[in-house]
Amino acid sequence: MTATLAHPSRRLAALALAAAALAGCRAPAGEALFPLDPGHEWTYRVTSERDDSAAVEYETLRLRTLGREALDDGPAWRRRSDDGVDYWLRADDSGIYRVASKSDLDAEPRPDAQRRYVLKAPYRVGTQWQAPTTTYLLRRRADFPPELRHVVPPVAMHYQIEATDEVVETPAGRFVRCLRVRGVASVHVFADSVAGWRDLPLVTTEWYCPGPGLVRLTREEPARYAFVHGGTLTMELVAWQ
């Protein structure tokens, strides 16, 4: 595993894992789409594949729930990634959303400018919403820093619940009655002197299952150009409690 991929992929994984509990909406125990009550832990295997390389890179991401805490505008549920990033989330009749985040470099939690939905109610096929995203896999071949997210501003990703009764097999087990959520966005970048400016796709697919919550995520940012290349990231649940 190269050090250059470790931070970007963990940021993506932690962002995708910023989901809240239906327990916050008084869902029955064990039926949460992402439990946030204290004492839970998740371990994910993160696989990164580059479009310009046959090499496959692996990482492990761990998250845990720290319980309910008071913020300036009210209580929220705190979740921590093992790369030192914390997230605060809430759930109400409108859905599940993030309200603040904090890295180890921040003295205090940084409130989100607006609700950053992870899942929008109602939890049925066709429900749509938007949330900001950035690039995680697109890289420039020559310029520094190579990661495009440092020079390309965030864009809106359009999400939709595509299924509510999926069966998902992971290293952690087989899960049923899962939601499949797909997000689509694009970034406008200069690909090379021949292709010129291109709209490069960013596609995320997530599976949320009763019990553990997020069990699988894929992020696709394909690009094979002289100046820019992309790749695919897959995250699967290995263990949880």
Side-chain angles (χ1 to χ4, degrees):
M1 176 190 345
T2 62
T4 56
L5 273 181
H7 188 55
S9 59
R10 288 195 174 195
R11 286 183 57 194
L12 170 61
L15 177 62
L17 286 171
L22 288 185
C25 300
R26 300 296 188 267
E31 288 298 305
L33 287 180
F34 225 109
L36 281 185
D37 46 312
H40 293 291
E41 295 184 5
W42 294 262
T43 302
Y44 293 88
R45 180 178 63 199
V46 183
T47 306
S48 300
E49 300 177 74
R50 291 287 177 189
D51 287 342
D52 64 342
S53 172
V56 178
E57 302 184 9
Y58 300 93
E59 300 177 67
T60 298
L61 176 73
R62 294 184 178 86
L63 291 98
R64 56 194 174 99
T65 51
L66 302 180
R68 193 175 179 181
E69 298 182 351
L71 298 179
D72 290 343
D73 62 344
W77 296 94
R78 184 178 180 184
R79 173 183 288 268
R80 168 168 272 257
S81 169
D82 65 357
D83 62 352
V85 180
D86 292 67
Y87 302 92
W88 285 263
L89 301 107
R90 294 187 182 124
D92 59 25
D93 291 342
S94 71
I96 302 165
Y97 53 93
R98 198 186 83 182
V99 295
S101 63
K102 178 183 177 297
S103 73
D104 286 340
L105 300 178
D106 298 319
E108 299 292 337
R110 293 180 288 110
D112 291 324
Q114 57 187 3
R115 292 181 177 186
R116 191 186 188 111
Y117 278 96
V118 177
L119 287 174
K120 190 79 167 62
Y123 306 116
R124 64 188 181 205
V125 173
T127 297
Q128 301 180 31
W129 67 96
Q130 295 184 26
T133 190
T134 188
T135 63
Y136 293 96
L137 301 168
L138 292 176
R139 295 166 63 92
R140 300 178 292 183
R141 296 183 186 275
D143 295 328
F144 183 85
E147 295 85 358
L148 272 178
R149 70 175 180 276
H150 296 302
V151 295
V152 175
V155 296
M157 178 164 274
H158 302 265
Y159 291 91
Q160 178 169 315
I161 298 176
E162 294 187 326
T164 59
D165 196 23
E166 294 268 287
V167 176
V168 184
E169 300 276 356
T170 76
R174 181 177 185 269
F175 302 96
V176 299
R177 293 183 292 112
C178 303
L179 268 66
R180 185 180 78 240
V181 177
R182 188 170 187 262
V184 178
S186 66
V187 292
H188 194 61
V189 302
F190 189 73
D192 59 38
S193 56
V194 176
W197 288 87
R198 294 281 175 153
D199 291 318
L200 303 184
L202 314 176
V203 180
T204 295
T205 308
E206 304 164 359
W207 287 263
Y208 294 87
C209 304
L214 184 67
V215 300
R216 179 181 294 158
L217 175 148
T218 62
R219 176 74 169 215
E220 300 168 89
E221 299 183 10
R224 292 177 180 269
Y225 296 99
F227 294 170
V228 179
H229 62 96
T232 301
L233 180 146
T234 303
M235 190 169 74
E236 288 190 296
L237 186 65
V238 173
W240 69 286
Q241 64 181 40

